[in-house]
C-alpha cells in the first residue's frame, strides 16, 4: 500500500513538474491582473442587486457601463493572447537562455510563437479582434495548444540553427546575436504552423469552434431530460474545462435543445397552473451545480480556506471568493490554476457530477420543487436556489450541494499540502546547496534559479522582506566561546534564526543568500547587529565587561560605504565599547573585485572593533592572505575539527598555529563536539573553543545566565 501511494505521489509530482505544465501554471497565473480586472468589470455589470446598476447610472452617469465594457473587452477580450505570451515566455525563461552557447532572449521565443498563433488561428476574413483573442469563444484552447507546441518546437529547432556557429563568437550585443541566430528556426516554426493550418483547412476544419460545437452536441441529440443526460452533460463540460475549453460554450447545442426548452416549459406550466415536469433545466444546473462557477469552484475556495497550507493558494482563495460568490470563477480558474492541474483533475470532474446526482434525486423525491423561474447566472449562493425553485428548500439544497462539493474537494486540498511539502523539501535542499557556494556576482544565486527552486526563492525573499518589519520571525541565538585553559567564557557568536510562519526554521545561510539577492542584506545585517548589541548590553548591566560579542557579516554588507558609520551608531545607541564587538567575515571578502571592503575592515579595526576570519581553511585565501588581511582572530573551520586526526590535517593546523602565534592572531576552534577533538587541538596549543561540547547556541536569556555562571567545567577523558 505504502509502495503504491509512494509511486502515485511520484507520478503526480512528475506530471506536476513537467516543464510544459509548469509553464502553463506560471503563465496562467501571470495574466491574473487582467483576469481580476475583467472579473470586477463583469461583476459590476451583472451584479444581481436590484437597482444597483441604475443607482450607478444615476450617480456616475451611463459612462461607467462603457468603462466596464471596455475593461472587460480589454482583459477577458484578449486573455487568450496574453495567456499565449505569458506561457511561452515562462517556458522560454525556464529552459534557460543559452542554447549551444547562443543566448536566446525569451522575448524572441515569444515573438516567434505569437506569430505562429496568428498564422495558425487568425480568421481568413479579418475582424481578428473578435473571437479568437478572447476567453470564451474558442481562442483560449487554441492559444494553449499553440503555446505548448510552438515553444518546444522553436527551441528544439534552435539547436540545429546553421547560424549558431557563425554567430557564437561574434560578440557585440548577445541579445541581438540571439535574435539573428533565431531567424532560421523562427521561420521554420511559423512556416510549420502555417502548413498545419493549410492541412486542417483542406481536411475541412475551417471553423474549429463551430465544428466542435456540433461534435460535442451530437451525443445529446434526442437525449431525454434524465439523470444520465445531466451527468453526461456535466461530466463532458467539466472535462472540456479541464483542458481549457469553455465547456458550456461548446455544449451550446445541448443547452439549446434540452436545458433551455425544459426551463421554458416549466415556467409556462406554472403560469398555466399545471405542475412543471422537467428536473434538468438550466437554472437547475446554475443553482445546484455551478456554485461559484463551473466546477463548483466556491466549494474549492472554501476547502482551500479550511485546510490548505499552501500560502499562495490561501491568498488566491481570499481574492477569488468575492467574484466566486457571484459565480465568476476566472480568478481561481487561472490563478490556481484548475486548467490542466493534475491535483484537481478528479474533484473538478467529480464534485459537479455528485452535486448533479444529489440535486436530481432530491428533486425526484419531491424534497425540493422543480425549477420554475429563470435565474441570472450571477445570482449568489442561497438566493439562486430559492429564486429558481420558489421554495426555501431550494436554498437549503443549494447549501447542501455546496457542502458536498467541499467534502469532495477536501482530500485533494490535503493531497496538495503533501505534494507542496515534498516539493518544498526538495527545493530547499537545492537552495541550501546554492546558498553555500561562494557568491559570484552579478548573478543572483537563488532568485535566478530556474524552475521550482527559483519560485521558492522568490516567495521566500518576499516573505523575508516582510519578516524584517515584524518582531517575531527573525531572532538571534548565541553560542558561547570558551577559554579551555582558564575554564571561562570569553565571548559568544550571535547566530541568525528565521522562523517562517509556514515552513518553520529556514537555514541561516539560505536566509542570508536570499537577503543578498533581494538587496535587503543591509537592513537585515543592521537589524541583527542592533538586536545582538542590545542583548549584550544586558551583560554590561550585570557587571560583565570582558565578554566579546561576535556578529557575522556577509561580504555584500561591505558594499555599503556607510557601514562603519552605521556600526558606530549602533554601538553608541546600545552603550557597547567598540572593543566588545567582533565582526566575523569569510575569506570571500578578500576576493571582491575592489579593495574597499578590506579598507572598511581597516577602518573598523582603527576604532577598536575586532575582526575575525570565519571558516578559515575552507576558501582560497588561507595562509597567503593572512599577511595582508587586517585580522585579530582566525576561526578554524568545522571541517578540520570533525575530520579524523589523520596526519595531513594536523600538519596544516600546526602551520596555521605557528603563523598565527608569530603574527599575534588569536585562534578559535569551531564545531568541537567530543573530548577527543578538544584534546587534539589543545595538544596543538589551541585554547579557545566553540562547539556543542560546551554549549548549543542559546536564547538571549540562556546566554546571559550561562555567562553569569562564568566558570566552565572543561570535560576530560
Ligand atoms: P558559521 O558562522 O560558521 O556558524 C557556525 C555554525 O556552526 C552555526 O550554524 C552553529 O550552530 C554551528 N555549530 C556550532 N557548534 C557546532 C558543533 O559543535 N557541531 C556542529 N555540527 N555545528 C556547530 P548555523 O547557526 O546554522 O549557521 C550557519 C551559517 O549561517 C553560519 O556559519 C554563518 O555563516 C551564517 N550565519 C548565521 N548567522 C548569521 C548572521 O547573523 N549573519 C550572517 N551574515 N551570516 C550568518
Ligand atoms: Ca561565524
Ligand atoms: Ca564558521
Amino acid at each position: 500500500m505504502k509502495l503504491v501511494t509512494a509511486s502515485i505521489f511520484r507520478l503526480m509530482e512528475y506530471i506536476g513538474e513537467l516543464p510544459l505544465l509548469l509553464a502553463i501554471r506560471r503563465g496562467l497565473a501571470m495574466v491574473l491582473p487582467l483576469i481580476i480586472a475583467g472579473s470586477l468589470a463583469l461583476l459590476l455589470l451583472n451584479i444581481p442587486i436590484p437597482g444597483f446598476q441604475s443607482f450607478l447610472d444615476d450617480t456616475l452617469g451611463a459612462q461607467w457601463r462603457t468603462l466596464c465594457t471596455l475593461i472587460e473587452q480589454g482583459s477577458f477580450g484578449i486573455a487568450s493572447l496574453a495567456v499565449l505570451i505569458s506561457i511561452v515566455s515562462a517556458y522560454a525563461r525556464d529552459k534557460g537562455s543559452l542554447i549551444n552557447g547562443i543566448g536566446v532572449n525569451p522575448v524572441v521565443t515569444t515573438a516567434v510563437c505569437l506569430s505562429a498563433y496568428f498564422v495558425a488561428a487568425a480568421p481568413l476574413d479579418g475582424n481578428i479582434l473578435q473571437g479568437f483573442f478572447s476567453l470564451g469563444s474558442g481562442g483560449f484552447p487554441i492559444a494553449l495548444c499553440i503555446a505548448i507546441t510552438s515553444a518546444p518546437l522553436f527551441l528544439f529547432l534552435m539547436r540545429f540553427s546553421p547560424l549558431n556557429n557563425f554567430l557564437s563568437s561574434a560578440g557585440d550585443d548577445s541579445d541581438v546575436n540571439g535574435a539573428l541566430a533565431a531567424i532560421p528556426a523562427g521561420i521554420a516554426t511559423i512556416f510549420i504552423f502555417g502548413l498545419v493550418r493549410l492541412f486542417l483547412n483542406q481536411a475541412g476544419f475551417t471553423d474549429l469552434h463551430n465544428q466542435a460545437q456540433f461534435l460535442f452536441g451530437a451525443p445529446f441529440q434526442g437525449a431525454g431530460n434524465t439523470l444520465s443526460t445531466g451527468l453526461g452533460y456535466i461530466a463532458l463540460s467539466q472535462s472540456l474545462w479541464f483542458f481549457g475549453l469553455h465547456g458550456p460554450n461548446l455544449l451550446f447545442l445541448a443547452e439549446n435543445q434540452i436545458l433551455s426548452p425544459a426551463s421554458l416549459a416549466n415556467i409556462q406550466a406554472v403560469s398555466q397552473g399545471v405542475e412543471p415536469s422537467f428536473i434538468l433545466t438550466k437554472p437547475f444546473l446554475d443553482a445546484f451545480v455551478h456554485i461559484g462557477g463551473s466546477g463548483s469552484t466556491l466549494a474549492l475556495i472554501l476547502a482551500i480556506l479550511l485546510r490548505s497550507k499552501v500560502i499562495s493558494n490561501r491568498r488566491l482563495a481570499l481574492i477569488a471568493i468575492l467574484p466566486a460568490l457571484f459565480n465568476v470563477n476566472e480568478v481561481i480558474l487561472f490563478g490556481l490554476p484548475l486548467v490542466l492541474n493534475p491535483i484537481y483533475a478528479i474533484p473538478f470532474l467529480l464534485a459537479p457530477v455528485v452535486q448533479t446526482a444529489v440535486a436530481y434525486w432530491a428533486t425526484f423525491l419531491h424534497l425540493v420543487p422543480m425549477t420554475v423561474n429563470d435565474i441570472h447566472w450571477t445570482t449568489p449562493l442561497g438566493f439562486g436556489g430559492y429564486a429558481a425553485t420558489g421554495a426555501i428548500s431550494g436554498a437549503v439544497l443549494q447549501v447542501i450541494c455546496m457542502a458536498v462539493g467541499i467534502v469532495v474537494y477536501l482530500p485533494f486540498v490535503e493531497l496538495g499540502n503533501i505534494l507542496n511539502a515534498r516539493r518544498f523539501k526538495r527545493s530547499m535542499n537545492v537552495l541550501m546547496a546554492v546558498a553555500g557556494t561562494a557568491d559570484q556576482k552579478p548573478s543572483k544565486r537563488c532568485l535566478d534559479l530556474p524552475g521550482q527552486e527559483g519560485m521558492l526563492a522568490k516567495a521566500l525573499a518576499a516573505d523575508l522582506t516582510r519578516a524584517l518589519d515584524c518582531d517575531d520571525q527573525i531572532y538571534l541565538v548565541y553560542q558561547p566561546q570558551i577559554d579551555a585553559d582558564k575554564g571561562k567564557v570569553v565571548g559568544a557568536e550571535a547566530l541568525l534564526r528565521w522562523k517562517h510562519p509556514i515552513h518553520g526554521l529556514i537555514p541561516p545561510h539560505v536566509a542570508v543568500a536570499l537577503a543578498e539577492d533581494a538587496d535587503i542584506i543591509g537592513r537585515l545585517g543592521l537589524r541583527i547587529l542592533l538586536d545582538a548589541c542590545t542583548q549584550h548590553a544586558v551583560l554590561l548591566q550585570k557587571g560583565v565587561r570582558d565578554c566579546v560579542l561576535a556578529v557575522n557579516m556577509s561580504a555584500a554588507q561591505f558594499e555599503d560605504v556607510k557601514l562603519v558609520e552605521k556600526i558606530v551608531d549602533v554601538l553608541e545607541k546600545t552603550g557597547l565599547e567598540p572593543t566588545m564587538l567582533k565582526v566575523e567575515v569569510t575569506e570571500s571578502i578578500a576576493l571582491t573585485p575592489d579593495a574597499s571592503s578590506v579598507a572598511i575592515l581597516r577602518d573598523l579595526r582603527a576604532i577598536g572593533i575586532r575582526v575575525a576570519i570565519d571558516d578559515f581553511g575552507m576558501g582560497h585565501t588561507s595562509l597567503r592572505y593572512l599577511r595582508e588581511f587586517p585580522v585579530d582572530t582566525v576561526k578554524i573551520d568545522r571541517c578540520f575539527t570533525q575530520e579524523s586526526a589523520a596526519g595531513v590535517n594536523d600538519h596544516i593546523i600546526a602551520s596555521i598555529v605557528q603563523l598565527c602565534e608569530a603574527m599575534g592572531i588569536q585562534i578559535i576552534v569551531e564545531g568541537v563536539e567530543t573530548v577527543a577533538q578538544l584534546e587534539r587541538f589543545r595538544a596543538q596549543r589551541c585554547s579557545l573553543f566553540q562547539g556543542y561540547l560546551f554549549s548549543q547556541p542559546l536564547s538571549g536569556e540562556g546566554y546571559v545566565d550561562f555567562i553569569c555562571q562564568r566558570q566552565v567545567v572543561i570535560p576530560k577523558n
Side-chain angles (χ1 to χ4, degrees):
M1 188 59 200
K2 237 178 161 178
L3 204 70
V4 177
T5 25
S7 352
I8 292 177
F9 275 160
R10 265 200 298 277
L11 180 69
M12 303 226 25
E13 278 167 0
Y14 173 76
I15 298 175
E17 282 164 32
L18 285 173
L20 278 173
L21 283 187
L22 212 61
I24 291 180
R25 288 217 295 275
R26 301 178 92 175
L28 290 180
M30 280 193 286
V31 299
L32 262 189
L34 264 71
I35 296 302
I36 290 173
S39 298
L40 278 177
L42 190 66
L43 203 59
L44 284 178
L45 285 170
N46 290 289
I47 211 161
I49 299 171
F52 178 76
Q53 275 89 2
S54 39
F55 168 74
L56 287 188
D57 282 340
D58 294 343
T59 43
L60 303 175
Q63 285 303 322
W64 75 271
R65 287 179 195 266
T66 318
L67 181 66
C68 285
T69 312
L70 281 176
I71 292 175
E72 195 199 333
Q73 279 175 6
S75 54
F76 281 2
I78 56 141
S80 298
L81 196 62
V83 159
L84 179 110
I85 291 172
S86 64
I87 293 179
V88 170
S89 60
Y91 179 80
R93 241 179 311 118
D94 249 17
K95 277 278 152 189
S97 51
L98 274 186
I99 296 175
N100 290 348
I102 285 282
V104 186
N105 191 306
V107 176
V108 179
T109 314
T110 310
V112 168
C113 300
L114 191 61
S115 176
Y117 176 53
F118 276 81
V119 173
L124 280 175
D125 54 356
N127 205 3
I128 52 172
L129 267 169
Q130 263 210 338
F132 90 121
F133 277 175
S134 69
L135 254 193
S137 56
F140 180 61
I142 298 179
L144 264 186
C145 275
I146 290 174
I148 62 173
T149 47
S150 58
L153 176 68
F154 168 68
L155 291 178
F156 173 75
L157 290 177
M158 265 308 289
R159 290 197 221 165
F160 308 103
S161 173
L163 296 181
N164 278 0
N165 287 338
F166 173 64
L167 287 163
S168 60
S169 53
D172 299 338
D173 187 330
S174 68
D175 272 359
V176 174
N177 279 351
L180 290 178
I183 292 172
I187 294 177
T189 308
I190 294 170
F191 202 75
I192 288 171
F193 277 85
L195 287 180
V196 171
R197 168 113 194 228
L198 269 191
F199 173 78
L200 286 177
N201 273 357
Q202 296 214 316
F205 297 105
T206 39
D207 185 348
L208 282 179
H209 191 242
N210 228 337
Q211 282 154 336
Q213 280 191 339
F214 271 105
L215 180 74
F216 294 118
F220 298 95
Q221 279 287 327
N225 195 289
T226 59
L227 177 60
S228 53
T229 304
L231 293 180
Y233 174 86
I234 282 296
L236 188 55
S237 167
Q238 289 303 120
S239 309
L240 290 169
W241 258 127
F242 182 72
F243 291 101
L245 297 148
H246 195 294
N249 261 358
L250 285 177
L251 291 175
F252 175 72
L253 291 183
E255 182 183 319
N256 213 15
Q257 283 161 14
I258 302 168
L259 301 177
S260 301
S263 330
L264 210 65
N266 279 5
I267 293 169
Q268 278 168 356
V270 172
S271 68
Q272 289 159 12
V274 190
E275 280 291 302
S277 50
F278 295 109
I279 297 180
L280 196 65
T281 63
K282 192 168 177 308
F284 171 88
L285 292 180
D286 280 345
F288 303 123
V289 184
H290 300 312
I291 308 168
S294 289
S296 197
T297 37
L298 190 57
L300 170 60
I301 290 171
L302 293 180
I304 287 176
L305 288 176
L306 280 175
R307 301 299 298 204
S308 180
K309 296 196 180 106
V310 186
I311 198 163
S312 56
N313 288 358
R314 297 185 68 88
R315 284 186 192 142
L316 183 78
L318 280 176
I319 297 174
I321 197 163
L322 180 73
L325 278 176
F326 299 98
N327 308 320
V328 174
N329 69 347
E330 275 79 0
V331 176
I332 194 95
L333 221 54
F334 276 70
L336 201 57
L338 280 169
V339 173
L340 287 176
N341 190 335
I343 300 179
Y344 293 112
I346 296 173
F348 188 60
L349 187 73
L350 194 62
V353 164
V354 176
Q355 287 166 328
T356 308
V358 168
Y360 192 95
W361 280 105
T363 319
F364 185 76
L365 296 174
H366 300 294
L367 300 174
V368 175
M370 290 179 197
T371 62
V372 290
N373 291 310
D374 240 346
I375 53 170
H376 197 270
W377 61 271
T378 52
T379 316
L381 178 66
F383 297 101
Y386 176 75
T389 57
I392 296 286
S393 58
V396 175
L397 177 62
Q398 204 180 20
V399 173
I400 291 173
C401 283
M402 162 86 170
V404 168
I406 294 179
V407 170
V408 174
Y409 271 114
L410 271 180
F412 295 88
V413 171
E414 299 280 6
L415 176 67
N417 287 344
I418 297 174
L419 288 175
N420 195 56
R422 287 168 61 111
R423 191 161 49 221
F424 174 79
K425 224 164 130 190
R426 260 180 301 129
S427 302
M428 187 48 97
N429 284 340
V430 174
L431 286 190
M432 277 163 67
V434 173
T437 57
D439 191 1
Q440 297 294 336
K441 292 259 161 168
S443 81
K444 308 223 179 263
R445 271 178 292 171
C446 299
L447 291 192
D448 282 350
L449 285 174
Q452 295 285 353
E453 292 80 29
M455 280 197 263
L456 176 65
K458 286 183 192 93
L460 285 178
D463 293 343
L464 182 59
T465 312
R466 271 190 293 274
L468 278 177
D469 293 325
C470 55
D471 293 333
D472 51 344
Q473 289 188 34
I474 292 174
Y475 60 93
L476 295 172
V477 291
Y478 301 83
Q479 191 173 35
Q481 297 170 335
I482 312 293
D483 183 333
D485 290 345
K486 298 188 183 137
K488 272 177 67 176
V489 188
V490 291
E493 177 180 1
L495 293 162
L496 168 69
R497 293 293 176 262
W498 175 25
K499 193 154 189 253
H500 189 280
I502 304 281
H503 302 304
L505 281 174
I506 307 291
H509 57 280
V510 172
V512 169
L514 288 170
E516 287 174 359
D517 280 5
D519 285 329
I520 49 168
I521 186 68
R523 279 178 65 201
L524 177 64
L526 216 58
R527 157 97 187 251
I528 290 169
L529 186 69
L530 185 63
D531 282 5
C533 290
T534 309
Q535 182 63 44
H536 206 76
V538 176
L539 280 177
L540 294 182
Q541 288 159 14
K542 301 206 178 234
V544 182
R545 307 199 68 86
D546 55 350
C547 253
V548 175
L549 168 71
V551 177
N552 291 286
M553 289 204 172
S554 88
Q557 285 179 262
F558 286 79
E559 284 165 19
D560 180 358
V561 286
K562 294 203 169 145
L563 184 67
V564 181
E565 254 173 73
K566 289 176 182 168
I567 294 178
V568 170
D569 193 41
V570 171
L571 288 177
E572 277 170 4
K573 261 193 207 139
T574 50
L576 254 60
E577 300 289 329
T579 49
M580 290 176 184
L581 180 68
K582 187 190 285 183
V583 297
E584 288 194 8
V585 293
T586 55
E587 295 158 305
S588 67
I589 203 160
L591 298 175
T592 42
D594 61 299
S596 67
S597 37
V598 178
I600 293 182
L601 286 181
R602 289 217 167 83
D603 291 348
L604 289 177
R605 285 190 84 206
I607 52 174
I609 294 172
R610 301 168 202 225
V611 174
I613 294 204
D614 208 351
D615 306 339
F616 190 75
M618 275 303 281
H620 326 256
T621 56
S622 300
L623 297 173
R624 194 164 70 80
Y625 276 84
L626 258 195
R627 294 175 193 284
E628 301 150 29
F629 221 61
V631 297
D632 304 85
T633 306
V634 156
K635 294 188 82 179
I636 294 187
D637 190 72
R638 208 163 59 227
C639 73
F640 283 97
T641 322
Q642 313 279 304
E643 296 232 333
S644 68
V648 187
N649 269 347
D650 280 1
H651 281 306
I652 297 175
I653 289 159
S655 45
I656 296 176
V657 171
Q658 221 174 16
L659 186 72
C660 289
E661 277 176 353
M663 298 177 63
I665 297 173
Q666 186 187 51
I667 292 179
I668 297 183
V669 181
E670 277 195 289
V672 186
E673 290 178 354
T674 63
V675 177
Q677 287 166 356
L678 176 71
E679 304 277 300
R680 210 178 102 219
F681 280 93
R682 292 193 79 182
Q684 295 255 31
R685 299 199 301 276
C686 296
S687 58
L688 300 179
F689 297 93
Q690 182 183 339
Y692 296 164
L693 180 64
F694 296 102
S695 173
Q696 296 271 343
L698 303 166
S699 70
E701 300 91 65
Y703 156 61
V704 171
D705 290 348
F706 191 93
I707 292 202
C708 288
Q709 290 170 6
R710 301 272 36 192
Q711 235 40 52
V712 180
V713 182
I714 306 300
K716 290 207 167 58
N717 264 330

